[in-house]
C-alpha cells in the first residue's frame, strides 16, 4: 500500500466571533487540510472556544504581554513556523500586522474582507457601503501585503444591497459568501503552496 499523502497544514488568526473559522473547521479540517493552530490577540474570543471544541491547539498573544507590536508579532511568527504551515488565514483578525511579519510570510497570508476591494477597505466596510448608497457590495479574499486590504485578490463575489438593508441584514447576506469564498481560496492556496513557509 502506498504512503497516504499528508494534508496541507494551515493556521488561523482570529479576534472575534469566528464564524469564518467555523466554516474552515466544518468544511476543510481533517478532510482537505489540517488546521494546526488558532491564534488570537483577544483572550476569551469566541473563535478560541470554537477551535478548542474541535481539538485544535490555541495560543493567545495579548498586546499587553509584550513591549510593542513588533515583539508580539515576532512571537506569533515563531509559533507559526513551529507549526510548519503553508497558509496563514486571517479570519476576522483585528490587530494590524507589522511589516517584518508580513515579509516573513510573503504570499502566505490570506484575508477575508466584506467588500469588493478596492472599494471600502479598512474598518466598518459594511457600514461604508451602506453610507455610500451603492447597489452592490461583496466579499474579497486576498493575499496580505503591507497596506490595509490592498494585497492581490484571490477570489471576489458581488452581493446585492437591497432596499431597507441595514448593517445586520447586509452582514447576514455577506456571511455565507465569505464562508464559501474563504474555504475555496484557502483550499486552493494550501494545495498549491505545499512546502511550509521558510524558517
Ligand atoms: C468578517 O466579516 C471578515 O470578513 C472580517 O471580519 C469578520 C469576521 O467575522 N475580516 P467572523 O469572526 O469570522 O465571524
Amino acid at each position: 500500500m502506498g504512503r497516504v499523502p499528508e494534508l496541507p497544514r494551515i493556521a488561523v488568526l482570529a479576534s472575534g466571533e469566528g464564524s469564518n473559522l467555523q466554516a474552515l473547521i466544518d468544511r476543510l479540517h481533517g478532510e482537505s487540510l489540517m488546521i494546526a493552530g488558532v491564534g488570537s490577540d483577544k483572550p476569551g474570543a469566541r473563535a478560541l472556544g470554537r477551535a478548542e471544541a474541535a481539538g485544535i491547539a490555541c495560543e493567545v498573544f495579548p498586546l499587553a504581554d509584550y513591549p510593542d507590536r513588533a515583539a508580539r508579532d515576532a512571537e506569533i511568527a515563531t509559533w507559526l513556523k513551529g507549526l510548519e504551515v503553508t497558509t496563514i488565514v486571517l479570519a476576522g483578525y483585528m490587530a494590524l500586522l507589522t511589516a517584518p511579519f508580513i515579509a516573513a510570510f510573503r504570499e502566505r497570508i490570506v484575508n477575508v474582507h466584506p467588500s469588493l476591494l478596492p472599494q471600502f477597505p479598512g474598518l466598518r466596510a459594511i457600514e461604508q457601503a451602506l453610507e455610500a448608497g451603492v447597489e452592490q457590495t461583496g466579499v474579497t479574499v486576498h493575499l496580505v501585503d503591507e497596506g490595509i486590504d490592498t494585497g492581490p485578490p484571490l477570489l471576489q463575489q458581488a452581493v446585492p444591497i437591497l432596499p431597507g438593508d441595514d448593517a445586520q441584514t447586509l452582514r447576514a447576506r455577506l456571511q455565507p459568501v465569505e464562508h464559501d469564498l474563504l474555504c475555496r481560496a484557502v483550499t486552493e492556496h494550501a494545495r498549491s503552496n505545499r512546502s511550509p513557509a521558510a524558517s
Side-chain angles (χ1 to χ4, degrees):
M1 224 171 75
R3 187 169 173 268
V4 179
E6 272 184 32
L7 294 176
R9 293 161 62 82
I10 72 162
V12 179
L13 298 178
S15 303
E17 179 58 28
S19 73
N20 281 282
L21 168 65
Q22 190 68 55
L24 295 168
I25 292 171
D26 292 344
R27 301 183 201 179
L28 307 184
H29 182 58
E31 299 287 334
S32 51
L33 51 77
M34 295 303 297
I35 304 175
V38 172
S40 184
D41 55 328
K42 294 268 185 285
R46 171 105 169 83
L48 293 168
R50 295 176 187 269
E52 275 161 17
I56 298 168
C58 294
E59 287 289 338
V60 189
F61 304 91
L63 188 54
D65 289 359
Y66 302 90
D68 53 26
R69 287 169 48 230
R72 190 249 303 266
D73 281 4
E75 188 156 317
I76 300 176
T78 302
W79 173 69
L80 289 169
K81 284 183 175 159
L83 293 177
E84 299 190 328
V85 293
T86 62
T87 308
I88 296 152
V89 181
L90 307 186
Y93 186 64
M94 300 308 288
L96 287 178
L97 292 166
T98 52
F101 182 95
I102 292 165
F105 298 105
R106 178 81 54 207
E107 298 190 353
R108 300 292 191 150
I109 312 172
V110 173
N111 183 44
V112 55
H113 183 80
S115 79
L116 289 177
L117 292 171
Q119 277 193 307
F120 315 127
L123 295 174
R124 302 179 66 257
I126 295 170
E127 289 82 356
Q128 287 186 60
L130 289 168
E131 286 157 15
V134 291
E135 289 181 357
Q136 66 170 21
T137 182
V139 172
T140 304
V141 180
H142 66 99
L143 293 175
V144 171
D145 66 9
E146 283 77 0
I148 306 275
D149 301 323
T150 51
L154 299 172
L155 288 175
Q156 280 193 308
Q157 187 174 318
V159 171
I161 299 181
L162 302 181
D165 261 346
D166 58 21
Q168 203 182 341
T169 58
L170 183 51
R171 181 171 290 109
R173 196 172 310 116
L174 287 161
Q175 251 186 352
V177 179
E178 287 194 342
H179 300 167
D180 286 350
L181 255 58
L182 185 63
C183 287
R184 279 170 48 200
V186 168
T187 302
E188 183 52 37
H189 187 275
R191 185 183 293 146
S192 51
N193 294 271
R194 289 305 292 254
S195 56
S199 50

